[in-house]
């Protein structure tokens, strides 16, 4: 056994590592196996091909709600999602978020049916990039750093009159 270290302390460490490595590998393997059902992939309409997003597999589909495509029949809503390269038809049963509207970005979670229509379980509307929570806006105003839409600072000479609505 010339490959073992000569020091008894080093030999003991080697045996501890040799015993702990398989246990750790089994724990990581079981964790990854348990999480495989909770992984949800995100696709845009042009990426959601029949090969990449097969029928029945839970995915997230994101893009812009196509203008003029929203049709509501009771609690069922049908609309088209586009990424300006491709379009996917979405059917959703339930109440839509308040921010949902044509031209707005959304993310829908669900699965494609055999007819390649996306049946959504959840629809999330994305706010635009100018959104700011009221608390953050209030703190910025208190510090004098509030610049709505890139305007001048409120403490500048033109600040009050330039930002007042007409």
């Amino acid at each position: 056994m010339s490959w073992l270290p000569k020091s008894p302390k080093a030999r003991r460490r080697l045996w501890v590592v040799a015993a702990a490595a398989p246990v750790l590998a089994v724990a990581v393997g079981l964790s990854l196996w348990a999480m495989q059902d909770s992984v949800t992939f995100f696709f845009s309409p042009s990426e959601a091909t029949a090969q990449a997003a097969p029928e029945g597999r839970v995915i997230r589909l994101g893009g812009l709600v196509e203008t003029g495509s929203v049709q509501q029949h009771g609690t069922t809503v049908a609309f088209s999602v586009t990424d300006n390269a491709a379009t996917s038809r979405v059917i959703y049963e339930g109440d839509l978020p308040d921010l949902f509207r044509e031209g707005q970005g959304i993310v829908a979670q669900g699965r494609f049916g055999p007819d390649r229509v996306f049946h959504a379980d959840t629809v999330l509307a994305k706010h635009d990039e100018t959104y700011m929570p009221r608390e953050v806006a209030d703190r910025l105003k208190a510090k004098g750093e509030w610049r709505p839409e890139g305007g001048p600072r409120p403490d500048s000479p033109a600040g009050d009159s330039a930002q007042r609505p007409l």
Side-chain angles (χ1 to χ4, degrees), residues 28-117:
V28 168
L30 287 174
S31 297
L32 292 174
W33 181 71
M35 289 189 309
Q36 74 183 3
D37 292 336
S38 64
V39 174
T40 306
F41 293 100
F42 177 86
F43 293 96
S44 67
S46 59
E47 297 170 338
T49 61
Q51 294 81 22
E55 167 189 338
R57 180 176 171 200
V58 176
I59 65 163
R60 289 186 178 152
L61 180 70
L64 298 175
V65 177
E66 200 169 44
T67 304
S69 70
V70 179
Q71 300 168 348
Q72 191 154 6
H73 307 285
T75 59
T76 302
V77 181
F79 56 93
S80 295
V81 174
T82 184
D83 61 357
N84 296 327
T87 302
S88 293
R89 191 75 181 151
V90 178
I91 296 176
Y92 176 68
E93 177 80 28
D95 294 328
L96 290 168
D98 292 337
L99 293 174
F100 181 90
R101 65 181 179 275
E102 294 177 349
Q104 182 70 31
I106 63 114
V107 175
Q109 183 169 325
R111 50 185 54 93
F112 279 103
D115 54 355
R116 296 305 291 168
V117 172

